[in-house]
Amino acid sequence: MGITFGKRKLKIKIMGDKETANEELNQPHNEQFHTVPKIPQTSDEKAVVQTKKNTGFRDLLQNIYDIAINKLNLSDFTVYTYYYCDDRYQFRKIMGRATLNEILLEKYLSFNGLTIIRRASGLSESGEYRSRLVTLMNYKDNDYILIWSSILYEIFNEEKILEIKKLMEEMRD
């Protein structure tokens, strides 16, 4: 009581100057052992909508990044998303150069509102940055940590903070 499958046949058809090869498989003798489950595929429309949604948010972040670097003269703008799972926070970097560890990001979560961190010799995790502004934001049911970094020590004055708050309000709208 063995299951046998047909042998592979190779046929070559000559059409003009081109040769094409077609492979045909004989049908198995017992069809029930040769069924492959079909994987449900998403429609093209759903994929396009999802891509537009992600692209819109990324474009918005890219615009804010450009404003932060060019207009506000900041060194970096980094965005992390976070969620609580398995009795701890999970973080994922969305954009920016600064890669921060989980302990530091959890520390930033404990800050209430806008927080400025300064250190004349540079921040311990990235010595090139001397000041950092940390903000938390909820955008379309997702939580984000926005980190504005600079190599200058006292760049985050009241004027810059007002401009950053304005940018964040525009982002939420």
Side-chain angles (χ1 to χ4, degrees):
M1 178 163 162
I3 299 174
T4 59
F5 297 98
K7 294 182 181 180
R8 179 173 284 181
K9 293 181 183 178
L10 180 64
K11 294 182 181 179
I12 299 175
K13 296 180 182 178
I14 299 176
M15 301 171 64
D17 292 339
K18 296 182 181 178
E19 291 186 10
T20 58
N22 291 334
E23 291 186 7
E24 295 179 4
L25 296 176
N26 287 336
Q27 294 297 323
H29 297 294
N30 195 344
E31 294 272 334
Q32 70 182 7
F33 294 109
H34 191 64
T35 58
V36 178
K38 293 185 179 180
I39 299 172
Q41 296 179 352
T42 60
S43 68
D44 291 337
E45 294 172 1
K46 287 182 182 178
V48 169
V49 169
Q50 187 67 20
T51 304
K52 285 182 181 178
K53 180 180 175 185
N54 292 341
T55 304
F57 183 66
R58 292 213 183 247
D59 288 343
L60 180 65
L61 287 177
Q62 187 62 43
N63 289 340
I64 289 177
Y65 179 82
D66 293 340
I67 291 170
I69 299 299
N70 298 327
K71 184 179 175 187
L72 300 177
N73 296 323
L74 299 176
S75 303
D76 192 21
F77 170 67
T78 308
V79 180
Y80 284 88
T81 183
Y82 66 94
Y83 58 93
Y84 193 75
C85 180
D86 296 332
D87 295 331
R88 67 185 189 112
Y89 284 100
Q90 303 286 328
F91 299 96
R92 188 177 60 115
K93 184 169 77 168
I94 295 177
M95 74 173 308
R97 288 182 291 162
T99 303
L100 306 174
N101 60 31
E102 290 184 7
I103 294 171
L104 188 64
L105 289 170
E106 284 187 15
K107 176 183 168 186
Y108 289 169
L109 283 179
S110 67
F111 296 151
N112 196 6
L114 292 171
T115 304
I116 298 173
I117 303 165
R118 293 184 182 135
R119 188 170 178 192
S121 60
L123 300 168
S124 60
E125 72 283 345
S126 53
E128 68 271 13
Y129 299 133
R130 289 184 173 77
S131 61
R132 184 169 280 156
L133 178 79
V134 179
T135 60
L136 302 176
M137 185 180 80
N138 187 322
Y139 180 78
K140 294 188 178 180
D141 297 327
N142 291 322
D143 294 317
Y144 298 96
I145 301 174
L146 305 169
I147 303 168
W148 315 75
S149 303
S150 178
I151 58 172
L152 302 175
Y153 180 66
E154 296 201 17
I155 194 166
F156 295 111
N157 54 22
E158 288 182 34
E159 182 181 314
K160 293 273 189 201
I161 291 173
L162 287 174
E163 290 180 30
I164 289 173
K165 283 182 179 180
K166 223 184 269 186
L167 277 174
M168 289 181 60
E169 288 174 9
E170 289 174 8
M171 184 177 178
R172 287 185 185 137
D173 293 340

